[in-house]
Amino acid sequence: MSDVINKKRKSNPPSAPFRRSKVVLLGDSITQLSFSAKLSGWGTYIADVYQRRCDVFNRGMSGYNTDWYLQYLSTEEGKYDVFDSLTNNGVEDGVSDVKLVTIFFGANDQSCEKLNRRHHVPLPKFQSNLKEIVNLCRENYGEKVRIVLITPPPVHHDSRLKYQVDRYGDKATGELERNMELASQYSEAVKAVAKELGYPCLNIYQSMQDSEPGAGEKWSKYLSDGLHLSAEGNIFVGKELKKLIDEVYPEITINPCPYTELTGNWGNSATKGGEAFGSEKGMGPWHDEIDHTEAEKSFQEHTNKKMKTA
């Protein structure tokens, strides 16, 4: 009986207005760690913003560069994990349930070829890899999928050297396999790819430094070890990404209620979602829209509104 039910569900998926939208995060450890509660991860920030309207899927792979990520995507496991499992309702007219994809690489690719040949990906190859990842997203999530490319963050030299000593002790080399010059080059490479392909770029390499100008490199507070994001850094990236979405993709933004800053809650009946969600109110009627004396009628009215926006 269960097999019959499952087959029926697969052959008759709910129509678009009744499916929860999706946001997918692709990247390396900075993305994988974006779900860290301990670090107030930027992925959790976005999941908080999109609660009840979008499910956020983290597909960050710690230690991966773009070469290895593409290799993963070429395997049966990787293709299913990153694409097929998230588009089981298919793509129609270039649109799927995936509303937004973030592509956040460079922290490993930028490694110095001499000091860390294992992770190093030359700049031209890095850019071609980013383009291939974008193309795969368009092929699998639909050509109309919204994409944001994110640059690697700046590298704080003193913190990286301290991290070396803390981790390796006497075996610390005292040489920086990742540095500001390389971070700048790879950030510019991400910007160039975004511009060429016509997608927005979140340049956290620059915005982090601009947010804390002056002497002392105060922007280092955004990094936990000179490379990865601290809790402050994760919140910074989450807020900057939300701000960028507001500017370039208003149809998938969330407008907070007047009390959001007071309550910190993005998921109540006073919030509104963009038109791309099928309903500005999200999934199911909010509790204060339900008449307890005629609950069935309230749910039917909600359904009717969704049908009208489809």
Side-chain angles (χ1 to χ4, degrees), residues 102-123:
T102 61
I103 300 175
F104 193 173
F105 290 95
N108 294 314
D109 301 72
Q110 70 185 7
S111 297
C112 174
E113 182 177 12
K114 178 182 176 182
L115 299 175
N116 185 359
R117 196 167 187 175
R118 182 170 181 267
H119 281 108
H120 172 75
V121 176
L123 272 169

Side-chain angles (χ1 to χ4, degrees), residues 268-280:
N268 58 34
S269 58
T271 61
K272 293 184 179 180
E275 60 186 17
F277 296 124
S279 169
E280 65 175 20

Side-chain angles (χ1 to χ4, degrees), residues 142-161:
E143 62 182 17
K144 297 179 182 179
V145 67
R146 300 161 190 83
I147 295 173
V148 172
L149 286 91
I150 307 176
T151 73
V155 177
H156 189 250
H157 292 183
D158 289 346
S159 298
R160 283 308 287 170
L161 292 172

Side-chain angles (χ1 to χ4, degrees), residues 82-282:
V82 178
F83 297 128
D84 295 347
S85 66
L86 304 182
T87 55
N88 50 9
N89 290 311
V91 177
E92 186 176 346
D93 296 327
V95 178
S96 72
D97 294 339
V98 177
K99 301 301 181 185
L100 174 70
V101 181
T102 61
I103 300 175
F104 193 173
F105 290 95
N108 294 314
D109 301 72
Q110 70 185 7
S111 297
C112 174
E113 182 177 12
K114 178 182 176 182
L115 299 175
N116 185 359
R117 196 167 187 175
R118 182 170 181 267
H119 281 108
H120 172 75
V121 176
L123 272 169
K125 185 72 181 324
F126 174 64
Q127 289 186 296
S128 67
N129 285 350
L130 286 178
K131 293 175 187 178
E132 187 170 352
I133 292 170
V134 168
N135 287 335
L136 285 170
C137 288
R138 287 169 53 86
E139 288 174 14
N140 289 277
Y141 298 135
E143 62 182 17
K144 297 179 182 179
V145 67
R146 300 161 190 83
I147 295 173
V148 172
L149 286 91
I150 307 176
T151 73
V155 177
H156 189 250
H157 292 183
D158 289 346
S159 298
R160 283 308 287 170
L161 292 172
K162 181 181 183 301
Y163 170 76
Q164 271 192 28
V165 174
D166 291 344
R167 180 168 180 177
Y168 301 108
D170 294 339
K171 294 181 180 180
T173 65
E175 296 182 280
L176 288 168
E177 62 181 39
R178 296 171 176 86
N179 57 53
M180 282 292 279
E181 181 180 356
L182 289 168
S184 175
Q185 292 173 7
Y186 280 72
S187 294
E188 288 299 317
V190 175
K191 286 172 56 182
V193 169
K195 182 176 181 180
E196 179 182 340
L197 300 181
Y199 290 108
C201 176
L202 181 60
N203 185 2
I204 62 170
Y205 171 82
Q206 194 61 52
S207 61
M208 281 186 173
Q209 296 178 75
D210 290 345
S211 71
E212 294 289 342
E217 297 181 334
K218 294 179 182 178
W219 51 265
S220 66
K221 69 181 183 181
Y222 295 131
L223 306 171
S224 63
D225 58 4
L227 178 68
H228 297 91
L229 302 179
S230 63
E232 282 188 88
N234 271 295
I235 294 171
F236 178 87
V237 171
K239 288 183 175 180
E240 289 294 297
L241 179 55
K242 172 64 169 65
K243 190 187 305 181
L244 181 64
I245 292 169
D246 291 347
E247 294 173 0
V248 300
Y249 296 133
E251 70 278 10
I252 60 165
T253 196
I254 304 298
N255 297 314
C257 74
Y259 308 107
T260 292
E261 290 301 319
L262 178 64
T263 64
N265 186 1
W266 291 93
N268 58 34
S269 58
T271 61
K272 293 184 179 180
E275 60 186 17
F277 296 124
S279 169
E280 65 175 20
K281 287 295 186 181

